[in-house]
Amino acid sequence: MQQHSGDTLLVDGYQRRFEYLRLSLTEQCNFRCQYCLPDGYHPDRTNQFLAMPEIKRVINAFSELGVKKVRLTGGEPTLRRDFTDIISSIADYSSIKEIALTTNGSRLYHNIAQWKDAGLTSLNVSIDSFSPQQFALITGENKLHQVMRGIDKAFEVGMAKIKINTVLMRGVNDDLSYCLPWLKEHNVDLRFIELMETGEGQSYFKRYHMSGEKIEQQLLKQGWQLMVKEGLSGPAKVYQHTDYLGRIGLIMPYAKNFCQSCNRLRISAIGKLHYCLFGDSAIELRDLLSNDGQKILLQQRILNSLKMKPETHFLHQHDAGITQNLSFIGG
Ligand code: SAM
Ligand code: SF4
């Protein structure tokens, strides 16, 4: 089953097209972010994460259906010992044009050169605060310096697309002056992601959630201008300013019509297809990942299930579906 002339077969009932797959490689993490894994990662022996041959079959099936961009996420994906090999094996598929990583940055400094050589094309690093003390309070790890060194190294080795993910928290990082000096000198996109309510994170959400619109108002007042969207860029609104090398993006999942521009599908670390980050079910794929002979069945299951993708999430009604926290699916 192969798409024609670069077009995707992955289209849902609302005419949304999917060329972008987020693949979670593990639920394990070495940080304890307050809004995600405040008590750290607790291994669940029943959960075996996708092995390399299974990962290859997932990528093969989706690339033939029209996926062109893969993001590796987790948990902390870089904790996997075979992480570099995973990048290389995805890079072998010529139809995959972009291999992206979302990471907490703890392993960046020592490894970014080899990841880039293996085929990594873009990098998102999560930094919720540029204050070392606050960073440690949020993540449970006093590692801001280490993460920043890693970002410098990523620039040094020539990573072209670097983005910073910042989860927006009321009273913590909602004052732009904390990041503006850094953005003056660095050619990155810093994206504020509105804190999302998860099954385990309800009280944190109540205390810290704020709308990205407040940041947007500050930006407009200071002369920032909305940029036109690029091809696979997804639902972020991105602002630029002539005095700054960097840009500021806003991801506002509670905004009206947010789901209309949904362009991504997600595979959890245990091989389930989630067509919404906050859906109330997931499609088992693993039984079709044990050998190459089941590829057509796998692709049919993916295409059939896509028809069930709902028009929107129900976060407004405080319904996070089956999502207890984002460490199993990668945000
Ligand atoms: N460990 C990696 C990292 O932190 O970048 C990858 C996985 S993490 C789950 C992916 C992204 O989701 C991070 O940028 C994180 O800040 C974000 N995230 C986690 N929980 C969130 C929540 N409740 N609301 C909004 N973003 C969240
Ligand atoms: Fe780990 Fe990322 Fe969750 Fe933080 S947000 S606990 S780094 S998975």
Side-chain angles (χ1 to χ4, degrees):
M1 204 177 299
Q2 215 141 6
Q3 88 278 17
H4 302 288
S5 63
D7 221 3
T8 183
L9 293 175
L10 296 160
V11 182
D12 74 0
Y14 301 93
Q15 297 312 307
R16 291 174 294 196
R17 301 156 51 77
F18 301 91
E19 297 183 354
Y20 175 14
L21 182 71
R22 288 186 171 215
L23 178 62
S24 175
L25 297 178
T26 179
E27 293 171 13
Q28 191 185 353
C29 191
N30 52 347
F31 279 19
R32 284 167 282 136
C33 298
Q34 291 295 313
Y35 48 75
C36 183
L37 289 175
D39 302 322
Y41 167 69
H42 296 291
D44 175 350
R45 277 164 204 270
T46 54
N47 280 356
Q48 294 289 322
F49 305 132
L50 290 176
M52 179 71 105
E54 295 174 305
I55 290 172
K56 284 186 184 167
R57 288 182 192 114
V58 166
I59 299 297
N60 188 27
F62 275 96
S63 67
E64 284 190 11
L65 292 176
V67 160
K68 296 186 178 58
K69 170 176 173 180
V70 176
R71 175 172 302 284
L72 302 173
T73 181
E76 179 47 42
T78 66
L79 296 184
R80 274 189 69 140
R81 282 201 208 110
D82 55 356
F83 184 64
T84 308
D85 294 337
I86 291 173
I87 300 174
S88 308
S89 68
I90 298 175
D92 285 343
Y93 293 93
S94 61
S95 51
I96 304 291
K97 306 291 181 208
E98 190 172 346
I99 305 176
L101 163 66
T102 301
T103 175
N104 62 25
S106 56
R107 301 215 158 173
L108 209 47
Y109 181 77
H110 292 291
N111 298 291
I112 185 64
Q114 77 183 58
W115 297 338
K116 181 168 182 285
D117 288 348
L120 191 73
T121 58
S122 52
L123 179 66
N124 285 21
V125 186
S126 301
I127 300 178
D128 294 333
S129 174
F130 287 96
S131 140
Q133 293 79 5
Q134 203 173 44
F135 182 94
L137 281 175
I138 297 169
T139 62
E141 293 290 332
N142 187 11
K143 290 195 171 145
L144 178 64
H145 180 64
Q146 185 175 322
V147 174
M148 299 306 283
R149 261 178 86 211
I151 293 176
D152 289 343
K153 187 78 175 204
F155 275 112
E156 234 173 88
V157 302
M159 280 304 298
K161 286 186 169 181
I162 303 180
K163 292 182 182 168
I164 308 299
N165 286 357
T166 299
V167 176
L168 183 57
M169 290 171 274
R170 189 172 55 221
V172 176
N173 55 16
D174 50 352
D175 177 2
L176 280 178
S177 60
Y178 95 104
C179 65
L180 287 179
W182 194 72
L183 281 179
K184 222 168 203 155
E185 317 289 341
H186 291 84
N187 182 13
V188 299
D189 283 35
L190 184 147
R191 292 125 42 99
F192 286 103
I193 305 171
E194 272 182 17
L195 180 64
M196 293 177 261
E197 184 169 358
T198 55
E200 291 167 0
Q202 287 170 352
S203 56
Y204 199 84
F205 175 84
K206 274 197 194 112
R207 181 153 173 207
Y208 290 108
H209 176 262
M210 65 173 272
S211 164
E213 280 172 23
K214 295 199 175 128
I215 296 285
E216 210 168 12
Q217 283 157 14
Q218 292 182 49
L219 290 173
L220 290 169
K221 253 193 214 153
Q222 296 180 29
W224 290 74
Q225 288 181 332
L226 186 61
M227 292 172 71
V228 180
K229 282 193 180 192
E230 280 174 30
L232 294 179
S233 63
K237 282 171 101 174
V238 183
Y239 284 83
Q240 63 182 356
H241 193 296
T242 44
D243 295 345
Y244 292 81
L245 270 184
R247 293 152 299 280
I248 296 184
L250 292 159
I251 300 180
M252 302 191 285
Y254 291 88
K256 200 168 162 248
N257 299 336
F258 178 80
C259 297
Q260 270 180 12
S261 55
C262 183
N263 66 348
R264 58 210 55 196
L265 298 172
R266 296 173 165 89
I267 303 283
S268 70
I270 55 169
K272 292 190 181 190
L273 169 63
H274 293 249
Y275 32 58
C276 176
L277 189 51
F278 296 103
D280 56 10
S281 62
I283 313 301
E284 185 60 77
L285 298 183
R286 205 145 195 197
D287 55 309
L288 298 178
L289 294 177
S290 58
N291 64 70
D292 294 335
Q294 304 189 91
K295 187 176 75 179
I296 300 294
L297 283 176
L298 175 63
Q299 290 176 324
Q300 276 165 352
R301 190 178 292 172
I302 293 166
L303 290 174
N304 288 339
S305 61
L306 194 57
K307 295 196 182 86
M308 284 141 53
K309 181 172 161 72
E311 188 174 14
T312 171
H313 60 60
F314 294 97
L315 277 179
H316 303 89
Q317 294 154 29
H318 300 282
D319 179 356
I322 52 174
T323 301
Q324 291 306 308
N325 61 61
L326 296 195
S327 73
F328 82 102
I329 195 171

